[in-house]
Amino acid sequence: MNAESDTESETGSETGRETGRDARRPPAGVAVVVIGYDDAAHVTDAVRSALAQGPAVREVVAVDDCSTDGSAGLLDRLAASEPRLKVIRRRANSGGCGTPRNTGLDAVTSPYVMFLDSDDVLPRGAAAALLEAAEGAHAEVAGGLCVRRELPSGREVPWQARLYALHAVVPHPARRPRLVHDTLCVNKLYRTGFLRAHGIRFPEGRFPYEDVVFTARVLAAAPRIALVPDRVYVWHVRRSAGRLSISLDRSGVENWRARTEACRQAYEVLLGAGQKELARAVRAKFLDHDLRMYVRELGLRDAAYRRAWWELTRAHLAEYDADDWARNPAAPGRLIGRVVLASPEPCDLPRLRELAARPARLCPPYARAADGTPVWSDALPVSLEPLRARPVRALPLAVDAELRPCRRGTRLRLRLRLRLHELYGRVAQAGPESVEVEWLHRDDGGVVVRDTAVPLAPCARGSESAWTPGSAAVPLAQGPEPAGRAGSGAVALAQGAEPAGAVALGPCVRGSEPAGTPGSVHGGAWSAEAAVDLAALSALGAGTWDLRLRIRFRDGVSRDVSAHALTGAGLLRRSAVPSARHGVVLVQPYATHSGALALRVAPGVRGVLSVARARLRRLLH
């Protein structure tokens, strides 16, 4: 009988023993350990959110890590009227989060424990949901959904939502390798006796990403885990704060050194416990998440940072073996890692940034080795052969996008131009037919301005569009103006009308693909144009919109992509567009950190003045 079967059998017998003790044991309770340092502005809100959990929370242990801003006094005054609150003051600052959490864990008397940071909060019912899941499944660990709340906008982004889509019980972590992607410790409840029996603690002192190592130690002990779809933690992200949190402050290369060390230790912990598949998953997660996130920001750093980052990364990746690289070899993170390993100096940073985007984009040029094998570049012949076997729906397709103001009679409009590149014959083989244009509101991802796709009208040879990236505007098709609302029907370009969102794709510029590419069509590129529905985008007032595209192919397969923002003369320029409703709409296209096209919209005189004031503040400060 294998270990997983043994676990199931033992769980069944434990169920009977637990049932017999239910009448004799005291009700289960949760301790919440709250840690803080110089966070007087938020710490009492965090503690109150823990106390507001109701009878599920038996005690709250607040650990002040030797604050100098009066935080401890605020906690003492709160404890005077709340018997469940215990305040512990550390005599010396630890420099990190691990030591105060260990201090709080040592003081816990309840059978279960949760962790909470001073600048975050627990939503109501979080402790009860996790406690019920743990008790019901006889699990040592219960986890739920954490949301990142961007402040001051209030925008919420779920963290690792795939893990917490449904109620589930995982009898052994190896059954769900995706668990290594959720390295947070704060969205989980732990059986206190389980942590103590296995000696599971946080790294001491100033150790950024201490929860990465802690989570690995938990998984190495092979707990039974219950997962719930409930929101159990609100992670506040204050990027404008005077002092960024340890994990958000990535400006220095020491942050990257700490992250690679935490991932290395997590791998070693799991491998040492015989959890080889989970250890492999840790390395895969590093490539897919950590590496891509930092590559997207490399262009913002100076040359000294980039050189140090490159050296650290190469040293870390040199520890990977052939098995690590052989798994999902066409995944963007693995391609990026192999390029970094192949070059002793930083190279091709703009192109790597595009590949690190989500979704990934592999931008031209598309080089080949002498034998025809796809390679990264002539100077760096890293093989891209695995791309030939990757499904079209997962290919790192590259679409260039530009926004230009154009006049239609006496009216100024905004036009979106798109150019889809061939990728070693795979795009032509799949047969792109149409593209669906979507604008997603940055602060409220549920708000989308979109249209439906239309069939492609075949283009005759020689009718390809003459525009290339960065070129001047081409003549625009004449026809009726769009209705000016989201969801209006798109009309084929061949019929002489302006589409509002979803537009047909046709073959375009020759020469973007090396000669002799199998399956290339008219040089290997497709283009499309669409009018931007400013009326719909400005209906919510000032805001930022991210461009997303859905390319549809002839066999019904679709691929969601983002678009690379072209730069050059006349591009990414702020424009004031007349509006019947608002008088004027100020629009500013720009490239995000990952190079994708986004659009800021400020309708009306108030919107224009707010943009002007923000620009003035930046100039003065």
Side-chain angles (χ1 to χ4, degrees):
M1 186 177 293
N2 60 36
E4 291 174 346
S5 298
D6 288 341
T7 300
E8 294 285 4
S9 299
E10 290 168 6
T11 300
S13 61
E14 277 293 320
T15 301
R17 291 195 295 270
E18 290 287 340
T19 302
R21 291 201 305 263
D22 280 347
R24 297 190 298 274
R25 70 181 182 184
V30 178
V32 181
V33 174
V34 185
I35 63 166
Y37 168 67
D38 279 358
D39 197 15
H42 309 115
V43 66
T44 53
D45 289 338
V47 170
R48 287 192 176 100
S49 77
L51 294 169
Q53 298 297 307
V57 169
R58 181 187 296 178
E59 59 182 333
V60 177
V61 181
V63 182
D64 179 74
D65 201 10
C66 197
S67 295
T68 60
D69 67 344
S71 296
L74 293 174
L75 292 172
D76 286 339
R77 286 193 287 276
L78 186 57
S81 59
E82 177 50 70
R84 289 182 295 166
L85 175 58
K86 178 181 181 180
V87 180
I88 301 175
R89 298 190 193 184
R90 289 185 48 80
R91 295 183 178 180
N93 179 256
S94 67
C97 298
T99 297
R101 286 198 187 123
N102 288 336
T103 300
L105 182 58
D106 290 340
V108 164
T109 62
S110 300
Y112 293 93
V113 62
M114 297 175 64
F115 299 100
L116 171 62
D117 291 346
S118 62
D119 52 351
D120 301 328
V121 293
L122 297 179
R124 288 187 179 273
L130 292 174
L131 179 59
E132 181 181 357
E135 289 280 281
H138 303 283
E140 289 81 21
V141 179
L145 184 66
C146 168
V147 294
R148 290 167 51 108
R149 180 181 291 167
E150 299 274 350
L151 297 176
S153 70
R155 177 197 182 201
E156 291 189 351
V157 179
W159 171 260
Q160 296 297 326
R162 284 172 52 189
L163 269 176
Y164 302 105
L166 300 168
H167 287 274
V169 177
V170 183
H172 192 288
R175 298 270 190 95
R176 193 74 62 92
R178 184 78 188 178
L179 287 167
V180 304
H181 284 252
D182 184 10
T183 56
L184 299 181
C185 69
V186 290
N187 61 329
K188 301 176 182 71
L189 173 144
Y190 307 90
R191 193 185 292 274
T192 309
F194 163 76
L195 296 181
R196 289 173 177 167
H198 292 276
I200 299 172
R201 297 172 69 81
F202 293 88
E204 295 278 351
R206 183 167 180 78
F207 191 103
Y209 307 107
E210 75 294 329
D211 45 359
V212 173
V213 178
F214 178 84
T215 298
R217 291 171 177 171
V218 169
L219 297 177
R224 185 176 176 87
I225 302 174
L227 306 177
V228 300
D230 307 66
R231 284 168 34 122
V232 301
Y233 197 86
V234 179
W235 174 5
H236 286 148
V237 179
R238 298 177 174 89
R239 299 188 188 278
S240 60
R243 187 190 73 199
L244 289 174
S245 68
I246 293 174
S247 60
L248 288 178
D249 187 4
R250 299 195 290 268
S251 58
V253 77
E254 287 306 312
N255 177 276
W256 180 241
R257 188 190 305 275
R259 188 180 284 262
T260 56
E261 177 58 26
C263 292
R264 179 183 292 109
Q265 288 195 27
Y267 172 82
E268 292 172 350
V269 165
L270 288 164
L271 193 64
Q275 304 287 348
K276 188 173 182 179
E277 288 302 310
L278 291 178
R280 295 282 188 201
V282 165
R283 285 185 168 178
K285 176 259 180 188
F286 176 85
L287 293 171
D288 184 61
H289 175 72
D290 305 74
L291 183 63
R292 291 174 71 178
M293 177 170 59
Y294 281 71
V295 165
R296 289 195 294 269
E297 299 175 353
L298 269 183
L300 306 175
R301 313 303 183 197
D302 60 27
Y305 176 100
R306 291 195 293 267
R307 284 193 299 271
W309 184 94
W310 200 269
E311 182 180 351
L312 283 169
T313 306
R314 295 185 79 229
H316 182 70
L317 295 179
E319 300 172 3
Y320 285 34
D321 59 30
D323 211 22
D324 293 317
W325 297 110
R327 299 186 177 204
N328 198 7
R334 281 170 175 77
L335 296 180
I336 293 169
R338 289 168 57 212
V339 170
V340 172
L341 272 179
S343 176
E345 297 291 336
C347 69
D348 295 341
L349 298 186
R351 197 164 176 233
L352 287 173
R353 178 192 67 173
E354 300 287 333
L355 187 56
R358 293 190 183 278
R361 302 182 293 269
L362 180 59
C363 293
Y366 303 124
R368 291 177 181 269
D371 62 358
T373 301
V375 294
W376 176 258
S377 67
D378 293 334
L380 207 64
V382 174
S383 175
L384 302 182
E385 183 67 22
L387 288 175
R388 288 180 165 178
R390 194 165 178 83
V392 172
R393 63 180 179 275
L395 282 174
L397 301 182
V399 178
D400 294 332
E402 61 174 82
L403 279 170
R404 286 183 183 270
C406 61
R407 289 199 176 275
R408 183 180 177 83
T410 60
R411 298 192 63 185
L412 188 67
R413 304 297 299 262
L414 202 63
R415 298 284 300 189
L416 172 67
R417 296 194 180 118
L418 304 172
R419 185 170 188 255
L420 168 66
H421 292 278
E422 179 58 278
L423 189 62
Y424 297 111
R426 296 297 312 285
V427 178
Q429 182 183 26
E433 292 193 332
S434 63
V435 59
E436 199 172 301
V437 178
E438 297 182 345
W439 294 94
L440 280 70
H441 196 274
R442 176 73 57 82
D443 293 331
D444 187 348
V447 178
V448 182
V449 175
R450 65 161 64 94
D451 263 287
T452 56
V454 296
L456 170 67
C459 296
R461 286 184 179 272
S463 64
E464 296 92 343
S465 167
W467 75 276
T468 55
S471 66
V474 297
L476 302 177
Q478 300 296 313
E481 295 184 2
R485 59 181 178 85
S488 58
V491 184
L493 286 172
Q495 296 175 336
E498 292 187 1
V503 293
L505 288 172
C508 134
V509 172
R510 298 173 184 262
S512 68
E513 179 73 5
T517 300
S520 62
V521 175
H522 298 300
W526 295 259
S527 67
E529 290 190 12
V532 178
D533 191 351
L534 283 178
L537 298 184
S538 59
L540 292 182
T544 299
W545 298 82
D546 292 305
L547 176 64
R548 293 291 185 270
L549 308 171
R550 179 170 293 125
I551 300 172
R552 297 191 181 277
F553 297 91
R554 61 170 166 253
D555 61 357
V557 172
S558 64
R559 170 61 166 146
D560 291 341
V561 300
S562 57
H564 162 69
L566 290 176
T567 59
L571 298 175
L572 305 184
R573 178 185 297 174
R574 184 183 293 116
S575 303
V577 180
S579 166
R581 178 178 178 182
H582 302 287
V584 65
V585 177
L586 191 66
V587 292
Q588 171 69 72
Y590 72 99
T592 67
H593 287 340
S594 66
L597 182 67
L599 181 65
R600 295 189 183 98
V601 176
V605 176
R606 286 187 177 181
V608 173
L609 290 177
S610 69
V611 172
R613 284 194 295 268
R615 182 173 178 82
L616 180 61
R617 284 196 298 269
R618 288 195 297 271
L619 291 174
L620 293 177
H621 295 87

